[in-house]
Amino acid sequence: MSLDEFGLIDRIRSRTGARADIALGIGDDAALLLPAPGQQLVVTADTLNAGVHFPHETPAQDIGWKALAVNLSDLAAMGAQPAWCTLSLSLPESSASWVEGFAEGFFALADRHGMALVGGDTTRGPLAISITAMGQVPVGQALRRDGARPGDDVWVTGVPGEAGLALALWQQRQLAVAGPVAEPAREQLRLRLARPTPRLEAGLALRGLASAAIDVSDGLLADLGHVCARSGVAAEVMESSLPASQHASELQLGAAFEGLRAGAGDDYELCFTAPASARAQVAQSMASVAVRATRIGYIRTGSGVRLLDGEGKAVSRERSGFNHFSIGGQ
Ligand code: ADP
Ligand code: MG
């Protein structure tokens, strides 16, 4: 069934959750929102293009989830509480079933975090999804990239590299992204790529604890490099501290995974720094939100990021996988 633009908008509008801080939602020329007093508005935008940011055969449900997840991940990295978003859809055809599928994945994640859709735009064109996500953080409490100090610990959540491994398997035709796939470890890897978990609870728990934070979208070392550049510091990461992947081991892909941990993107984990004096508190706060967090290195004076082997020698950039890694290249 094909629908006109207003039919598509109605389908989306009917799915969104309500919030008391929306004076006027979808249906007018613009939305009217009521940010809470004492809070800063946190605003971020990200676009996903078919064939560049996800394979063309990706199910609509997974596209809906991931388009929102990458934006929520930016809010998480700021320590923000999600609130509202807008959705701009460019669709090659007006298919009701595609929009229903997209909405299913999108609102599964939006509802989980109390995020309401308050507006957007719908046009005809190559498949692309552009979302603006808004959240709130108490004045002065946002997690920024510019607060890392020499002596701080470097931490990472989850297991960076698993999404990259899933992507590599898909590129080698060893993983069907249209899944689900039968083999449990392979399915878990597919989900790391198709349905990343934005670390919002971790971001909130790190307010007042982390000195700097970023989400890992382009690769661990590359993103840590952004923190260093903004903070005017250097970082050392111990290769032996990087989390191992149980799923990769189960599939006998441990060696391939090792080459992806530091450089592959698309994981949407958080990389953050915190004073060594807060080590126990950080571990406790991550445990309280049931998020695995691993201490992987230190902030130093100077500039740049170095990956060190077991003997404290710098690992070559080629071997560290310190390059951009994405589906179509960007
Ligand atoms: P306008 O032409 O004034 O920009 P539209 O006809 O494009 O308005 O949209 C009508 C209403 O539907 C607006 O409130 C707009 O924010 C909303 N809307 C349009 N597309 C979407 C979408 N993909 N998701 C959510 N809301 C949308
Ligand atoms: Mg208008």
Side-chain angles (χ1 to χ4, degrees):
M1 186 170 112
S2 92
L3 292 167
D4 64 12
E5 182 194 342
F6 295 105
L8 288 177
I9 295 170
D10 276 345
R11 292 205 169 216
I12 293 169
R13 189 215 310 246
S14 67
R15 298 286 291 267
T16 188
R19 287 178 63 102
D21 53 13
I22 301 172
L24 187 60
I26 293 174
D28 213 305
D29 294 311
L32 298 175
L33 309 175
L34 303 161
Q39 303 277 317
Q40 287 177 323
L41 187 59
V42 185
V43 182
T44 182
D46 258 314
T47 299
L48 299 192
N49 294 307
V52 179
H53 300 100
F54 56 86
H56 287 283
E57 65 265 34
T58 306
Q61 285 85 345
D62 289 342
I63 297 171
W65 175 285
K66 188 161 181 174
L68 185 58
V70 302
N71 279 279
L72 288 174
S73 178
D74 281 322
L75 292 184
M78 297 301 290
Q81 179 78 55
W84 317 283
C85 64
T86 64
L87 167 65
S88 293
L89 278 177
S90 166
L91 301 174
E93 55 182 353
S94 46
S95 149
S97 64
W98 192 91
V99 169
E100 294 290 348
F102 178 90
E104 197 181 308
F106 181 95
F107 287 112
L109 185 58
D111 293 349
R112 182 182 290 194
H113 296 290
M115 174 159 263
L117 181 65
V118 297
D121 193 28
T122 308
T123 56
R124 188 67 59 94
L127 182 58
I129 303 96
S130 192
I131 291 175
T132 297
M134 289 161 272
Q136 301 179 95
V137 66
V139 175
Q141 285 190 33
L143 307 177
R144 302 163 50 136
R145 295 181 179 183
D146 58 6
R149 295 291 171 260
D152 284 356
D153 293 327
V154 179
W155 297 76
V156 73
T157 64
V159 185
E162 287 191 332
L165 182 58
L167 184 57
L169 290 175
W170 171 73
Q171 284 166 334
Q172 292 160 24
R173 300 182 188 281
Q174 292 178 46
L175 182 76
V177 292
V181 291
E183 203 177 349
R186 213 172 281 268
E187 171 64 1
Q188 288 306 310
L189 289 179
R190 187 189 70 84
L191 290 172
R192 292 303 304 143
L193 182 65
R195 298 226 165 194
T197 306
R199 299 296 184 189
L200 287 152
E201 296 83 2
L204 291 175
L206 288 170
R207 283 182 187 168
L209 269 182
S211 51
I214 191 167
D215 67 320
V216 180
S217 52
D218 293 338
L220 180 58
L221 299 188
D223 287 317
L224 178 55
H226 297 316
V227 169
C228 289
R230 297 284 298 182
S231 299
V233 296
E236 286 175 356
V237 172
M238 275 86 68
E239 196 177 32
S240 59
S241 310
L242 296 175
S245 167
Q246 197 196 321
H247 307 311
S249 309
E250 270 175 43
L251 295 168
Q252 319 277 313
L253 292 169
F257 175 73
E258 282 193 8
L260 294 168
R261 293 176 300 180
D266 250 9
D267 284 298
Y268 303 99
E269 297 294 347
L270 295 185
C271 178
F272 59 95
T273 62
S277 58
R279 212 171 265 177
Q281 250 180 302
V282 169
Q284 203 177 17
S285 75
M286 292 299 93
S288 75
V289 293
V291 170
R292 174 175 174 178
T294 309
R295 207 153 48 76
I296 57 168
Y298 302 97
I299 296 297
R300 305 289 191 208
T301 56
S303 64
V305 180
R306 293 200 311 154
L307 185 66
L308 302 180
D309 67 15
E311 290 159 14
K313 292 207 198 84
V315 176
S316 75
R317 292 215 158 188
E318 250 158 54
R319 199 159 80 70
S320 70
F322 197 168
N323 55 14
H324 202 96
F325 191 89
S326 76
I327 291 169
Q330 313 176 41

